[in-house]
Amino acid sequence: MINRRNFLTTVAVGTASAAALAACGTGSGTGGETGSAENPVTLNYTWWGNDDRAERTRKAIALFESKNPDIKIAGNFTDFGGYWPKRATEAAGGGLPDVMQFDLSYLRDYGQRNQLLDLGTVNINTDAFEKSLLPSGQIKGKTYGIPTSTNAFAVYYDPAKLASLGIAEPTGKWTYNEFNDFLTEVGTKSNGALFGGTDYTGVWWMYNVWLRQNNIEAFTEDGKLGFTKDDLKKWWNQTAVLRGTPAIVPEERVTQLAPKSPFGSNVTATEVTWDNFMAGYLADSGAKELKLVPVPSDNPDNLGLFLKPSMLMSASAKTKYKEQAARFIDFMVNDPEVGQIFKTSRGVPASKTQRDGTTFEGTDKLVVDYEKSIEQYLKDAPEPPIVGFGTLETAFRRVASDLNYGKLTVDGAADAWFKEAEDLIKQNA
């Protein structure tokens, strides 16, 4: 079992402009492989996120540069959707940035193609990390990513909305049928003013949690699917009776509200997602308070929960400045002052050194406290998914959306997704 930690904010943010990445993967400066305060080495660093993460990242970079005058960081950021096409273009041209924020979904794609630096060959201190978490950044014995922070799945709810409907706050000890009944009660009592939630079966990682609850692995060691088409049909049938009712917000409304979520838009009373979205939901909704409870499970002893790296730090295999890249990564994941800057905005710090040096209050404390409450249920973090997983996850969302639009039946949706998955696995075999 992994001990506490967690959280991610799909928000990430940056510094500098796109021009700063002009020399991706090569670094810049005239100091060769070493630099000095008078002639520093420049590392290109890129991450995804929003303006809040950008401001925090600028502060962390400035702090690093003040303590490492021989290194300058040229930062650049974009949103998550635009981040990966840019990395794919750079990789094809042989010029990935020196240091990158990375996501577990894409780590194997780049690591297996030898495009990332083996961080086990450079000096990064991992003594303060849970040993059961580190494999999430490893592939075939090589370390391609160091977790910055962790997060876990949860059910968000707005206590004020429930109180206005005369509905008791949930304890988080519920079966799927009980959770579905709860969503129905919210939708029914609100008389159309509020939906219970979104269709949680359209979220790949919640499906992964359900598979774990049923002792089914998502992927096999040889890169195949570990579940059957019948498993997927059973999952998508979980909310079949709720579609088209006030329990679930219609898909067309979800599309209209994007990029905001229905929960953040005050259209639903709940949301099933990563616990690190707390700050974003509070900002979007204007709610005074939001709370977190565990996801439903039909086995009270197995909630299927785990701590997933909310993001990782990686480096280009072609960087000319391996030692400097390692110094920057080590600083970003271990330094307590960096923890104070980010709090839980990118997740609960994965390094105990950074976590213990961070003061958590208010919203940040809610996330940390949630992690403590589920500690006994946590299992080992997943290893990097199969090559092409990012494409499969996107397809999962798209097919589930078509299912909710009524364009596909459950059988048709399962057939469609399995065909895409099996074709992709063959291509990458």
Side-chain angles (χ1 to χ4, degrees):
M1 175 189 294
I2 300 177
N3 289 326
R4 54 167 291 162
R5 259 169 349 221
N6 147 12
F7 200 37
L8 151 154
T9 290
T10 278
V11 206
V13 222
T15 59
S17 66
L21 284 179
C24 287
T26 61
S28 59
T30 58
E33 293 188 359
T34 60
S36 64
E38 295 74 25
N39 191 21
V41 160
T42 297
L43 294 177
N44 295 311
Y45 172 50
T46 187
W47 69 97
W48 67 84
N50 61 10
D51 289 341
D52 175 71
R53 174 110 12 107
E55 182 59 29
R56 294 173 192 264
T57 303
R58 289 188 185 104
K59 291 179 180 179
I61 287 174
L63 180 64
F64 173 79
E65 290 177 337
S66 71
K67 295 184 177 183
N68 298 271
D70 59 321
I71 303 173
K72 290 292 183 183
I73 305 297
N76 178 269
F77 76 97
T78 186
D79 59 30
F80 188 81
Y83 188 84
W84 299 106
K86 288 185 178 181
R87 301 295 81 76
T89 298
E90 291 163 352
L96 285 171
D98 297 289
V99 182
M100 297 159 283
Q101 185 172 288
F102 237 79
D103 186 79
L104 188 67
S105 299
Y106 294 87
L107 194 69
R108 191 176 295 274
D109 295 44
Y110 289 80
Q112 281 195 180
R113 294 173 182 141
N114 300 314
Q115 293 167 329
L116 301 179
L117 176 66
D118 179 2
L119 300 178
T121 64
V122 291
N123 188 23
I124 298 175
N125 190 345
T126 59
D127 292 346
F129 290 75
E130 292 285 346
K131 301 309 177 188
S132 51
L133 180 65
L134 293 175
S136 62
Q138 298 170 348
I139 301 169
K140 296 181 179 178
K142 294 184 177 181
T143 299
Y144 294 113
I146 304 294
T148 62
S149 43
T150 56
N151 58 354
F153 245 69
V155 177
Y156 280 87
Y157 71 90
D158 185 330
K161 288 184 173 65
L162 297 186
S164 71
L165 299 174
I167 298 175
E169 293 186 31
T171 63
K173 296 180 179 180
W174 42 15
T175 64
Y176 281 94
N177 284 339
E178 289 169 340
F179 182 53
N180 288 351
D181 288 344
F182 172 81
L183 297 178
T184 299
E185 184 182 12
V186 171
T188 301
K189 287 189 174 180
S190 69
N191 293 318
L194 196 66
F195 293 91
T198 52
D199 186 352
Y200 58 86
T201 66
V203 182
W204 162 266
W205 286 105
M206 186 58 211
Y207 177 50
N208 189 288
V209 168
W210 180 81
L211 288 174
R212 285 172 166 243
Q213 290 172 352
N214 289 276
N215 299 311
I216 301 171
E217 58 182 356
F219 304 107
T220 63
E221 290 184 2
D222 58 352
K224 301 293 194 307
L225 297 178
F227 56 91
T228 67
K229 193 180 294 185
D230 284 341
D231 292 327
L232 183 54
K233 289 178 183 179
K234 184 176 180 181
W235 174 245
W236 273 334
N237 271 315
Q238 196 85 49
T239 54
V241 296
L242 304 184
R243 297 185 184 112
T245 76
I248 289 180
V249 60
E251 194 67 16
E252 54 267 27
R253 190 73 184 279
V254 176
T255 302
Q256 291 168 0
L257 294 170
K260 278 191 177 182
S261 68
F263 186 65
S265 302
N266 293 306
V267 171
T268 63
T270 69
E271 185 65 61
V272 181
T273 189
W274 298 109
D275 58 6
N276 63 296
F277 294 163
M278 177 69 79
Y281 281 150
L282 283 169
D284 287 347
S285 67
K288 292 184 178 180
E289 180 185 28
L290 297 176
K291 293 185 178 181
L292 297 164
V293 291
V295 298
S297 176
D298 293 332
N299 180 354
D301 296 322
N302 181 7
L303 302 190
L305 295 173
F306 56 92
L307 295 183
K308 172 183 173 289
S310 51
M311 56 192 74
L312 307 105
M313 293 283 283
S314 298
S316 169
K318 294 186 177 181
T319 181
K320 292 181 179 179
Y321 304 115
K322 295 180 181 180
E323 185 274 326
Q324 291 90 343
R327 217 191 313 167
F328 180 55
I329 292 174
D330 186 88
F331 181 83
M332 292 293 278
V333 301
N334 281 311
D335 190 272
E337 290 184 77
V338 172
Q340 281 291 96
I341 291 171
F342 284 101
K343 301 288 188 175
T344 63
S345 68
R346 59 178 186 175
V348 173
S351 162
K352 187 176 186 299
T353 301
Q354 191 169 91
R355 191 168 63 247
D356 289 351
T358 303
T359 302
F360 300 108
E361 299 173 336
T363 301
D364 298 306
K365 189 173 185 299
L366 288 175
V367 178
V368 175
D369 286 349
Y370 172 68
E371 286 301 320
K372 289 181 180 178
S373 75
I374 61 171
E375 194 173 80
Q376 62 179 309
Y377 301 108
L378 295 174
K379 297 187 177 181
D380 285 355
E383 293 183 358
I386 61 174
V387 172
F389 172 73
T391 301
L392 293 187
E393 186 178 11
T394 299
F396 195 89
R397 287 197 301 268
R398 186 186 70 251
V399 171
S401 177
D402 287 343
L403 175 61
N404 275 293
Y405 266 119
K407 297 177 181 179
L408 292 171
T409 63
V410 167
D411 286 358
D415 288 341
W417 188 83
F418 254 76
K419 184 179 187 308
E420 288 194 47
E422 290 171 344
D423 287 348
L424 185 140
I425 290 171
K426 286 179 182 177
Q427 291 171 14
N428 292 302

